[in-house]
Amino acid sequence: MPTDDHILLARRHLAAARKLTILTGAGISADSGVPTFRGADGLWRNFRPEDLATPEAFERDPRLVWEWYNWRRELIATKQPNSAHHAVVELEQRWVDRMWLITQNVDGLHRAAGSQRLSEIHGNIWKVRCTGCGVVSENREIPLPPLPTCRLCQALLRPHIVWFGESLWEEEIHRCDEALRDCDVFLVIGTSGVVYPAAGFASVAKEAGAMVIEINLDRTPQSNLVDLSLQGRAKDLVPLLLYPA
Ligand code: BJW
Ligand code: ZN
């Protein structure tokens, strides 16, 4: 756990911040029971990303990829937002239109908690996209048929998720860029900081003058770059930031 001094310092910087931007990763949902990607029990320990999370993998074996997503949808459907997700909502309510949340998570738990001002930069596991007509729709069916098809054009549906080698949606990236360049505090919660473009966000915010605070169970490749690194569980540490400085 970080010392009380470090928590106090983080609260002081937050209290002085006019604009706040938050980046979250799988670590914030780990406390809800959603597996991370790179941890000891992480998804990439048992599955190879190139077999499941690339457009080539989907082209090669869409049934296998959909099996994996059906399994994850089933698992995530049983999970609830935790105190860290709720604390992020509380921050949004305090900062009103001066806060922006950027999440790499596709589990939808930030929305379930009540976050409204957010970019889901890697997509959402509860949305599907038609490989034919491109229409995106919400879909909470569990399980989806092994090869789900579009109601409009009968083409194969795919998860509305950004896979390795795919570009992020330009509109979202533009909104994130604005939020990174125009914040006083950039709070980075539960991400290993190795997947681009999100891995570069702390440098962008820092170069633009923001104070960067990291909350993570462990040190990360970004820990040396940030101004304040708080080690511990997101569910314990994020709510502590809500107390007065
Ligand atoms: C806790 C905790 C607790 C645990 N409390 N903390 C070389 C250089 C630069 C870029 C590239 C490169 N080679 C290839 C690229 C591009 C590639 C990339 O970055 N690859 C890297 C691996 C090097 N990026 C892309 O392809 C992206 N697109 C792109 O860049 O387009 C332009 C372009 C294309 C091609 C070439 C070059 C440029 C798209 C990336 C899409 C990533 N998608 C995934 C999977 C989606 C599948 C799915 O979910 O269904 O998104 S990858 C996976 O990693 C997932 C996550 O969102 C993402 C980030 O993971 P995250 O959230 O950080 O999780 P973990 O598990 O890594 O970390 C958890 C952390 O929590 C740990 O630090 C723990 O300590 C901590 N923690 N419990 C607090 N209780
Ligand atoms: Zn279609």
Side-chain angles (χ1 to χ4, degrees), residues 25-27 30-31 36-39 44 53 68-69 72 104-106 122 161-168 190-197 215-218 220 232-234:
D31 288 332
T36 63
F37 291 89
R38 295 170 184 79
W44 296 153
W68 188 60
Y69 278 97
R72 285 176 62 208
Q104 298 169 88
N105 298 346
V106 301
H122 291 165
I161 282 183
V162 182
W163 287 323
F164 282 114
E166 292 186 312
S167 296
L168 282 75
T191 175
S192 55
V194 296
V195 176
Y196 286 86
I215 292 183
N216 198 299
L217 202 50
D218 294 315
T220 72
R233 292 191 178 279

Side-chain angles (χ1 to χ4, degrees), residues 129-135 149-157:
R129 186 165 83 240
C130 177
T131 56
C133 65
V135 166
T149 52
C150 174
R151 285 202 185 121
L152 302 171
C153 75
Q154 317 312 320
L156 184 64
L157 293 175

Side-chain angles (χ1 to χ4, degrees), residues 21 39 87 93 97 119 168 201 220 242:
T21 299
Q93 284 162 0
D97 59 353
S119 295
L168 282 75
F201 288 177
T220 72
L242 298 174

Side-chain angles (χ1 to χ4, degrees), residues 86-228:
H86 292 299
V88 169
V89 177
E90 175 69 33
L91 291 170
E92 179 182 310
Q93 284 162 0
R94 290 187 191 177
W95 264 259
V96 197
D97 59 353
R98 289 175 289 113
M99 191 199 109
W100 194 256
L101 168 63
I102 304 169
T103 186
Q104 298 169 88
N105 298 346
V106 301
D107 55 32
L109 291 182
H110 280 299
R111 280 189 199 278
S115 285
Q116 293 184 0
R117 294 175 52 77
L118 79 165
S119 295
E120 293 176 317
I121 58 170
H122 291 165
N124 186 303
I125 201 161
W126 302 112
K127 290 181 181 171
V128 293
R129 186 165 83 240
C130 177
T131 56
C133 65
V135 166
V136 176
S137 50
E138 191 169 324
N139 182 314
R140 292 192 173 256
E141 222 178 303
I142 297 176
L144 279 164
L147 290 175
T149 52
C150 174
R151 285 202 185 121
L152 302 171
C153 75
Q154 317 312 320
L156 184 64
L157 293 175
R158 60 164 281 176
H160 186 52
I161 282 183
V162 182
W163 287 323
F164 282 114
E166 292 186 312
S167 296
L168 282 75
W169 299 290
E170 217 163 280
E171 198 181 299
E172 291 295 354
I173 283 301
H174 181 72
R175 211 175 328 184
C176 294
D177 203 53
E178 264 181 8
L180 293 168
R181 290 178 196 283
D182 190 29
C183 64
D184 305 296
V185 168
F186 182 47
L187 181 58
V188 183
I189 307 169
T191 175
S192 55
V194 296
V195 176
Y196 286 86
F201 288 177
S203 307
V204 173
K206 199 172 163 64
E207 273 164 33
M211 156 99 186
V212 183
I213 305 174
E214 173 186 64
I215 292 183
N216 198 299
L217 202 50
D218 294 315
R219 284 185 69 76
T220 72
Q222 315 252 322
S223 299
N224 286 333
L225 171 125
V226 305
D227 297 290
L228 189 55

